[in-house]
Amino acid sequence: MDVAHCYLEGNADAVEFCPHELYRHVLAASTYTLQEGDQPSRAGSISLFNVDSEAARLDLFHRIDTAGIFDIKWNPVGECASPLLAQADADGYLRIHSLGCSSHEAKGFSLREISDEKVSSSMCLFLDWNPSATSITVGLSDGSVSIVSLAESQLETQESWKAHDFEVWTTSFDIHQPQLVYSGSDDCKFSCWDLRDGPSKLAFRNSKVHTMGVTCIAKNPTDRNTVLTGSYDEYLRVWDLRSISKPVNETSTCLGGGVWRIKYHPFVSGLVLAACMHNGFSIVKINGDKTEVIETYSKHESLAYGADWHRDVSFHEGKRNSTLVATCSFYDQLLRIWMPESDLKLQQDIVL
């Protein structure tokens, strides 16, 4: 069910609901636009919206212009009480913005940059926070991975290494073992690195399964042994970290169009939202070695890039399917808020 939509001032590539309790109505969306000419440039923006599902409204309350953005992520809920939004951009910078109260904004909130770090002369393509929000892993267009620390609102690059032969489209911390960092690249390799050994030591690498670039990696938040990968080859794969030579599901699951982003549901175990580039968005149920597409969404008319679940506590209260979804598509610059038609509570037990 469609709730609301709007058009951004640039090519839309990422959407992120704020996970912090008092700010869960806040949605961030970012853009990347290549401006060609004698002096080409990569421009971007971050827009903040107030999402009101009851009134079916999507209200813009803050926007900033930036360099072209490839990824944004809110800090995880934990030791840091205030919401921070990290930005990975085409100028090779990692930037941190703080969401705070403002008397000048209509909704009482504003976003201000509090720190930046020039990570590389190459482009920063992807980022992920560690569980304690003290470090960020960054994937770079030259095949490198960098670990950047955040302490007292200051960013500092701790380590960088040549992890892959081509662009690192994705990198993430293992949420159960944060000394491990995963990476995936255009070289078709899915790798894991151990940060306890410096320079970072290769823990494992699979270079035989993905037939095209590895674009996204997601650790199962409720199962320390399960991780997912998505690829340009259109397959969603389930891996058991105890046996990394091949995926759990031998046939894998073809979602079509290239699997660009995957997000586990914040409350429902085994439920995944996938952005599938040329094939819209899918909601997938995963149970052991079995995967099933339970719903697709095709209201976008361009590359399906950004996707996120709303962390709505009312889902716990027995209400009908109250989990909102935000999605965005690239060239048509479209942001949509919608509610799945499926009753998601029937798919798995709710994780409290």
Side-chain angles (χ1 to χ4, degrees), residues 30-88:
S30 64
T31 66
Y32 168 93
T33 303
L34 176 62
Q35 299 173 334
E36 298 180 314
D38 295 336
Q39 294 182 321
S41 64
R42 297 175 173 87
S45 65
I46 295 175
S47 299
L48 297 183
F49 296 88
N50 177 62
V51 179
D52 187 338
S53 59
E54 297 296 329
R57 291 179 61 90
L58 181 65
D59 296 324
L60 175 69
F61 68 85
H62 189 78
R63 182 182 180 277
I64 58 173
D65 293 323
T66 65
I69 294 177
F70 285 100
D71 196 22
I72 53 173
K73 292 281 192 331
W74 294 101
N75 61 329
V77 177
E79 297 178 8
C80 181
S82 61
L84 302 176
L85 185 68
Q87 159 194 335

Side-chain angles (χ1 to χ4, degrees), residues 191-322:
S191 304
C192 179
W193 309 88
D194 192 329
L195 301 182
R196 292 173 296 186
D197 298 320
S200 291
K201 180 181 178 181
L202 183 65
F204 70 74
R205 169 171 286 164
N206 186 293
S207 56
K208 298 180 179 179
V209 171
H210 301 91
T211 60
M212 299 181 73
V214 180
T215 51
C216 50
I217 299 169
K219 183 71 183 293
N220 187 328
T222 62
D223 182 353
R224 64 185 298 112
N225 295 316
T226 299
V227 66
L228 305 179
T229 61
S231 170
Y232 283 130
D233 66 15
E234 305 185 357
Y235 283 90
L236 175 67
R237 294 178 172 89
V238 182
W239 300 82
D240 188 326
L241 294 174
R242 295 165 297 186
S243 178
I244 208 67
S245 61
K246 58 184 180 181
V248 171
N249 50 345
E250 271 300 297
T251 57
S252 303
T253 302
C254 184
L255 297 183
V259 185
W260 183 250
R261 288 289 181 268
I262 42 181
K263 296 281 186 71
Y264 271 98
H265 194 285
F267 309 130
V268 183
S269 176
L271 207 62
V272 173
L273 174 65
C276 304
M277 297 183 71
H278 298 285
N279 199 37
F281 299 86
S282 294
I283 297 176
V284 184
K285 175 186 176 182
I286 301 173
N287 187 6
D289 62 350
K290 296 180 175 61
T291 57
E292 176 189 4
V293 177
I294 63 172
E295 188 168 337
T296 60
Y297 184 80
S298 56
K299 298 294 182 67
H300 292 265
E301 297 182 357
S302 181
L303 290 172
Y305 268 177
D308 199 19
W309 301 99
H310 187 212
R311 293 154 181 83
D312 189 351
V313 295
S314 66
F315 191 94
H316 295 295
E317 299 170 0
K319 297 182 180 179
R320 178 200 171 275
N321 187 8
S322 57

Side-chain angles (χ1 to χ4, degrees), residues 130-142:
N130 70 347
S132 61
T134 56
S135 292
I136 298 173
T137 177
V138 182
L140 299 165
S141 60
D142 66 357

Side-chain angles (χ1 to χ4, degrees), residues 125-126 138-145 163-164 166-171 183-186 214:
L125 303 179
F126 193 89
V138 182
L140 299 165
S141 60
D142 66 357
S144 299
V145 171
H164 292 273
F166 303 114
E167 292 92 338
V168 176
W169 293 121
T170 183
T171 178
S183 61
S185 166
D186 234 22
V214 180

